[in-house]
Short mmCIF file of all heavy atoms in Angstrom, two decimals:
data_model
loop_
_atom_site.label_atom_id
_atom_site.label_comp_id
_atom_site.label_asym_id
_atom_site.label_seq_id
_atom_site.Cartn_x
_atom_site.Cartn_y
_atom_site.Cartn_z
N ALA A 335 77.98 121.49 111.62
CA ALA A 335 76.76 121.77 112.38
C ALA A 335 75.69 122.38 111.48
O ALA A 335 74.52 122.01 111.54
CB ALA A 335 77.06 122.70 113.55
N ASN A 336 76.09 123.32 110.62
CA ASN A 336 75.09 123.96 109.75
C ASN A 336 75.33 123.65 108.26
O ASN A 336 74.66 124.21 107.40
CB ASN A 336 75.05 125.47 110.00
CG ASN A 336 76.36 126.14 109.58
OD1 ASN A 336 77.25 125.49 109.03
ND2 ASN A 336 76.48 127.43 109.83
N PHE A 337 76.28 122.78 107.98
CA PHE A 337 76.57 122.31 106.62
C PHE A 337 77.05 123.42 105.68
O PHE A 337 77.00 123.27 104.47
CB PHE A 337 75.35 121.62 105.99
CG PHE A 337 74.68 120.62 106.88
CD1 PHE A 337 73.52 120.95 107.58
CD2 PHE A 337 75.22 119.35 107.05
CE1 PHE A 337 72.91 120.02 108.41
CE2 PHE A 337 74.61 118.42 107.88
CZ PHE A 337 73.45 118.76 108.57
N ALA A 338 77.53 124.53 106.23
CA ALA A 338 77.97 125.63 105.37
C ALA A 338 79.48 125.55 105.13
O ALA A 338 80.23 125.00 105.93
CB ALA A 338 77.63 126.97 106.03
N VAL A 339 79.89 126.11 103.99
CA VAL A 339 81.32 126.28 103.70
C VAL A 339 81.67 127.76 103.89
O VAL A 339 80.94 128.63 103.42
CB VAL A 339 81.66 125.82 102.26
CG1 VAL A 339 83.10 126.21 101.90
CG2 VAL A 339 81.48 124.31 102.12
N TYR A 340 82.77 128.03 104.59
CA TYR A 340 83.22 129.40 104.83
C TYR A 340 84.43 129.67 103.94
O TYR A 340 85.38 128.89 103.91
CB TYR A 340 83.59 129.60 106.30
CG TYR A 340 82.39 129.48 107.20
CD1 TYR A 340 81.95 128.23 107.64
CD2 TYR A 340 81.67 130.61 107.58
CE1 TYR A 340 80.83 128.12 108.45
CE2 TYR A 340 80.55 130.51 108.39
CZ TYR A 340 80.13 129.26 108.82
OH TYR A 340 79.03 129.14 109.61
N ASP A 341 84.36 130.78 103.23
CA ASP A 341 85.39 131.10 102.24
C ASP A 341 85.83 132.55 102.45
O ASP A 341 85.06 133.48 102.24
CB ASP A 341 84.81 130.89 100.84
CG ASP A 341 85.82 131.21 99.75
OD1 ASP A 341 86.99 131.52 100.07
OD2 ASP A 341 85.43 131.15 98.56
N HIS A 342 87.08 132.71 102.84
CA HIS A 342 87.58 134.05 103.13
C HIS A 342 88.56 134.53 102.07
O HIS A 342 89.03 135.65 102.11
CB HIS A 342 88.27 134.02 104.50
CG HIS A 342 88.56 135.36 105.07
ND1 HIS A 342 87.57 136.31 105.30
CD2 HIS A 342 89.74 135.94 105.45
CE1 HIS A 342 88.13 137.40 105.79
NE2 HIS A 342 89.43 137.20 105.89
N VAL A 343 88.91 133.66 101.11
CA VAL A 343 90.02 133.98 100.19
C VAL A 343 89.71 133.64 98.72
O VAL A 343 90.62 133.34 97.96
CB VAL A 343 91.30 133.23 100.62
CG1 VAL A 343 91.81 133.73 101.95
CG2 VAL A 343 91.06 131.74 100.68
N HIS A 344 88.43 133.67 98.33
CA HIS A 344 88.04 133.30 96.96
C HIS A 344 88.40 131.87 96.60
O HIS A 344 88.69 131.56 95.44
CB HIS A 344 88.67 134.23 95.92
CG HIS A 344 88.39 135.67 96.17
ND1 HIS A 344 87.11 136.18 96.12
CD2 HIS A 344 89.22 136.69 96.49
CE1 HIS A 344 87.17 137.47 96.42
NE2 HIS A 344 88.41 137.80 96.65
N GLY A 345 88.40 131.00 97.58
CA GLY A 345 88.73 129.60 97.30
C GLY A 345 87.73 128.95 96.36
O GLY A 345 88.11 128.18 95.47
N MET A 346 86.44 129.24 96.59
CA MET A 346 85.40 128.63 95.75
C MET A 346 85.56 129.04 94.29
O MET A 346 85.46 128.23 93.39
CB MET A 346 84.01 129.04 96.25
CG MET A 346 83.49 128.16 97.34
SD MET A 346 83.40 126.45 96.78
CE MET A 346 82.06 125.83 97.75
N GLN A 347 85.82 130.34 94.10
CA GLN A 347 86.02 130.84 92.75
C GLN A 347 87.20 130.13 92.07
O GLN A 347 87.11 129.75 90.90
CB GLN A 347 86.27 132.34 92.85
CG GLN A 347 86.33 133.09 91.55
CD GLN A 347 86.83 134.52 91.82
OE1 GLN A 347 86.33 135.22 92.70
NE2 GLN A 347 87.85 134.90 91.08
N ASP A 348 88.27 129.92 92.81
CA ASP A 348 89.44 129.25 92.23
C ASP A 348 89.18 127.76 92.00
O ASP A 348 89.76 127.17 91.08
CB ASP A 348 90.68 129.46 93.10
CG ASP A 348 91.22 130.88 92.98
OD1 ASP A 348 90.89 131.54 91.97
OD2 ASP A 348 91.94 131.33 93.89
N MET A 349 88.32 127.16 92.83
CA MET A 349 87.91 125.78 92.54
C MET A 349 87.21 125.74 91.19
O MET A 349 87.46 124.85 90.39
CB MET A 349 86.93 125.26 93.61
CG MET A 349 87.52 125.04 94.96
SD MET A 349 88.63 123.62 95.03
CE MET A 349 87.47 122.34 95.22
N GLU A 350 86.33 126.71 90.97
CA GLU A 350 85.56 126.70 89.72
C GLU A 350 86.43 127.00 88.51
O GLU A 350 86.26 126.38 87.46
CB GLU A 350 84.40 127.70 89.81
CG GLU A 350 83.16 127.08 90.42
CD GLU A 350 82.30 128.07 91.20
OE1 GLU A 350 82.24 129.26 90.79
OE2 GLU A 350 81.73 127.67 92.22
N ARG A 351 87.38 127.93 88.66
CA ARG A 351 88.24 128.16 87.49
C ARG A 351 89.46 127.24 87.47
O ARG A 351 90.34 127.37 86.66
CB ARG A 351 88.63 129.64 87.36
CG ARG A 351 89.48 130.20 88.46
CD ARG A 351 89.80 131.67 88.28
NE ARG A 351 90.77 132.07 89.30
CZ ARG A 351 91.98 132.57 89.06
NH1 ARG A 351 92.37 132.79 87.83
NH2 ARG A 351 92.78 132.87 90.06
N ARG A 352 89.47 126.27 88.38
CA ARG A 352 90.52 125.26 88.45
C ARG A 352 91.90 125.91 88.45
O ARG A 352 92.73 125.64 87.58
CB ARG A 352 90.39 124.24 87.32
CG ARG A 352 89.03 123.52 87.32
CD ARG A 352 88.88 122.52 86.19
NE ARG A 352 89.76 121.35 86.33
CZ ARG A 352 89.51 120.32 87.13
NH1 ARG A 352 88.42 120.30 87.86
NH2 ARG A 352 90.34 119.31 87.18
N SER A 353 92.12 126.69 89.49
CA SER A 353 93.35 127.47 89.56
C SER A 353 94.07 127.26 90.88
O SER A 353 93.45 127.29 91.95
CB SER A 353 93.00 128.95 89.37
OG SER A 353 94.13 129.74 89.59
N VAL A 354 95.37 127.04 90.80
CA VAL A 354 96.21 126.97 91.98
C VAL A 354 96.76 128.37 92.22
O VAL A 354 97.55 128.88 91.44
CB VAL A 354 97.37 125.98 91.77
CG1 VAL A 354 98.37 126.07 92.91
CG2 VAL A 354 96.84 124.56 91.65
N CYS A 355 96.29 128.99 93.32
CA CYS A 355 96.60 130.40 93.54
C CYS A 355 97.04 130.61 94.98
O CYS A 355 96.36 130.21 95.92
CB CYS A 355 95.34 131.22 93.24
SG CYS A 355 95.59 132.98 93.44
N ILE A 356 98.20 131.22 95.14
CA ILE A 356 98.72 131.53 96.48
C ILE A 356 97.84 132.61 97.12
O ILE A 356 97.38 133.52 96.44
CB ILE A 356 100.18 132.01 96.36
CG1 ILE A 356 101.11 130.82 96.19
CG2 ILE A 356 100.60 132.88 97.53
CD1 ILE A 356 101.45 130.08 97.48
N ILE A 357 97.61 132.47 98.41
CA ILE A 357 96.88 133.50 99.15
C ILE A 357 97.83 134.67 99.43
O ILE A 357 98.93 134.45 99.93
CB ILE A 357 96.36 132.93 100.48
CG1 ILE A 357 95.36 131.78 100.21
CG2 ILE A 357 95.72 134.02 101.33
CD1 ILE A 357 95.04 130.95 101.44
N GLY A 358 97.38 135.87 99.10
CA GLY A 358 98.20 137.05 99.41
C GLY A 358 99.26 137.29 98.33
O GLY A 358 99.15 136.81 97.21
N ASP A 359 100.29 138.02 98.72
CA ASP A 359 101.34 138.38 97.77
C ASP A 359 102.29 137.20 97.57
O ASP A 359 102.96 136.77 98.52
CB ASP A 359 102.11 139.59 98.31
CG ASP A 359 103.29 139.93 97.42
OD1 ASP A 359 103.06 140.09 96.20
OD2 ASP A 359 104.43 139.99 97.91
N PRO A 360 102.36 136.65 96.35
CA PRO A 360 103.14 135.41 96.15
C PRO A 360 104.60 135.55 96.56
O PRO A 360 105.15 134.64 97.20
CB PRO A 360 103.02 135.11 94.66
CG PRO A 360 101.90 135.96 94.14
CD PRO A 360 101.69 137.07 95.11
N ASP A 361 105.23 136.67 96.23
CA ASP A 361 106.65 136.81 96.60
C ASP A 361 106.84 136.72 98.10
O ASP A 361 107.75 136.04 98.60
CB ASP A 361 107.20 138.15 96.09
CG ASP A 361 107.33 138.16 94.58
OD1 ASP A 361 106.29 138.39 93.91
OD2 ASP A 361 108.42 137.91 94.06
N GLU A 362 105.95 137.43 98.81
CA GLU A 362 106.07 137.43 100.27
C GLU A 362 105.81 136.04 100.85
O GLU A 362 106.53 135.57 101.73
CB GLU A 362 105.04 138.43 100.81
CG GLU A 362 105.24 138.86 102.22
CD GLU A 362 104.14 139.87 102.61
OE1 GLU A 362 103.97 140.86 101.86
OE2 GLU A 362 103.45 139.62 103.60
N ARG A 363 104.78 135.37 100.32
CA ARG A 363 104.44 134.05 100.86
C ARG A 363 105.51 133.01 100.53
O ARG A 363 105.76 132.10 101.30
CB ARG A 363 103.07 133.58 100.32
CG ARG A 363 101.89 134.49 100.65
CD ARG A 363 101.70 134.83 102.12
NE ARG A 363 101.64 133.72 103.05
CZ ARG A 363 100.62 132.89 103.20
NH1 ARG A 363 99.54 133.02 102.47
NH2 ARG A 363 100.66 131.92 104.09
#
Side-chain angles (χ1 to χ4, degrees):
N336 66 5
F337 313 101
V339 171
Y340 294 84
D341 180 4
H342 193 58
V343 294
H344 306 296
M346 274 301 209
Q347 187 190 310
D348 286 340
M349 291 289 278
E350 273 149 34
R351 65 181 187 120
R352 301 179 69 80
S353 173
V354 171
C355 181
I356 281 280
I357 297 167
D359 175 53
D361 289 81
E362 196 179 307
R363 301 306 307 286

